[in-house]
């Protein structure tokens, strides 16, 4: 993947990961095989469960547990895991409608399911809807402030969804390229947005979409 080496260089090493978020970052951006990715996801779920046993309702642990279950669903095509993860995300969004990260994971849930399964199957089997994903994506960017994570990830999901809609993806990628990077995930998103910008600036949506697929979570997994 283009710029993957740079992205991986700033992603937390799996051996050093000591939080569910770090484990999931390693699974999504460093793992080169499905078994390795699933092992890291399983560790993240176990760690989140341990935190929640000590601190029921902990927001970060709840969010990361939901993401981990969603990742497991993506890797194993488990419908029950997919529905469980969406329920967690929707509860977090209901608790705080201005939670940008909750909106982003809802957007990812809908748009990833449609990308992986196709619109008809994703809609009938899981209830995934393009409109719901697009609306949550726009809300996430609007609520995310001047952080690169939100417009950077949105640009990649947008061009993957519709390689003909270069203008919107470019606006978000341009915003990410000049945004703040207070966390490793912001750095990842900024580097990814910068990687797809040359193609977007020449209106080459197909190339940008191809790169985005490789830069999104699990894009490094061997075919």
């Amino acid at each position: 993947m283009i710029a993957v080496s740079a992205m991986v260089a700033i992603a937390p090493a799996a051996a050093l990961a000591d939080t569910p978020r770090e484990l999931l970052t390693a699974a999504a951006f460093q793992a080169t095989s499905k078994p390795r990715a699933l092992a890291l996801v399983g560790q993240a779920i176990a760690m989140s469960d341990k935190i929640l046993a000590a601190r029921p309702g902990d927001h970060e642990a709840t969010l990361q547990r939901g993401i981990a279950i969603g990742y497991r669903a993506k890797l194993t095509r488990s419908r029950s895991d997919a529905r469980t993860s969406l329920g967690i995300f929707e509860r977090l969004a209901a608790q705080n409608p201005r939670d940008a990260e909750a909106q982003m994971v809802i957007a990812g849930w809908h748009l990833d399911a449609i990308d992986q399964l196709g619109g008809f199957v994703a809609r009938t089997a899981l209830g995934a809807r393009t409109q719901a994903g697009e609306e949550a994506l726009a809300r996430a960017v609007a609520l995310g402030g001047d952080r690169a994570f939100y417009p950077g990830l949105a640009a990649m999901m947008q061009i993957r969804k519709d390689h003909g809609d270069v203008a919107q993806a470019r606006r978000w990628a341009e915003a990410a390229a000049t945004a703040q990077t207070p966390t490793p995930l912001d750095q990842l998103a900024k580097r990814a947005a910068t990687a797809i910008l040359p193609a977007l600036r020449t209106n080459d949506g197909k190339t940008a979409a191809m790169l985005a697929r490789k830069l999104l979570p699990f894009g490094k997994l061997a075919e």
Side-chain angles (χ1 to χ4, degrees):
M1 95 175 52
I2 301 300
V4 158
S5 60
M7 292 174 68
V8 169
I10 62 171
L16 301 176
D18 59 4
T19 68
R21 187 181 288 263
E22 289 173 341
L23 284 164
L24 293 176
T25 301
F29 297 108
Q30 288 182 276
T32 56
S33 71
K34 187 178 291 187
R36 179 57 178 158
L38 281 168
L40 290 166
V41 168
Q43 291 175 41
I45 292 173
M47 191 177 291
S48 297
D49 286 342
K50 184 176 180 180
I51 294 168
L52 288 168
R55 299 194 302 271
D58 182 275
H59 177 274
E60 173 69 3
T62 300
L63 175 64
Q64 297 309 319
R65 182 175 182 271
I67 293 172
I69 293 171
Y71 279 177
R72 188 171 66 187
K74 180 179 178 68
L75 293 167
T76 65
R77 293 180 178 266
S78 167
R79 294 183 186 181
S80 61
D81 273 350
R83 295 189 185 101
T84 296
S85 65
L86 180 61
I88 293 170
F89 301 152
E90 289 179 335
R91 286 192 294 275
L92 289 172
Q95 291 167 9
N96 179 7
R98 298 191 62 78
D99 184 339
E101 201 161 14
Q103 294 298 328
M104 183 58 82
V105 291
I106 288 172
W109 187 92
H110 285 278
L111 298 179
D112 284 353
I114 290 166
D115 180 70
Q116 184 173 24
L117 301 175
F120 178 77
V121 174
R123 183 173 62 253
T124 56
L126 297 174
R129 295 179 293 115
T130 299
Q131 183 177 352
E134 291 173 341
E135 290 173 352
L137 195 62
R139 283 195 295 269
V141 175
L143 294 168
D146 190 28
R147 286 183 52 188
F149 173 69
Y150 297 102
L153 194 58
M156 290 188 288
M157 286 198 285
Q158 175 65 29
I159 200 65
R160 180 190 66 179
K161 176 180 69 68
D162 181 2
H163 63 73
D165 190 1
V166 173
Q168 179 61 74
R170 179 176 174 176
R171 282 193 292 271
W172 279 334
E174 296 280 10
T178 59
Q180 299 299 308
T181 55
T183 73
L185 285 176
D186 289 293
Q187 296 172 37
L188 288 169
K190 186 168 187 171
R191 289 178 184 271
T194 301
I196 67 173
L197 261 177
L200 293 174
R201 286 169 174 164
T202 58
N203 291 313
D204 187 353
K206 288 185 178 180
T207 295
M210 178 187 69
L211 294 175
R213 287 181 181 281
K214 295 179 180 180
L215 291 164
L216 283 163
F218 305 110
K220 199 183 179 193
L221 290 187
E223 295 296 333

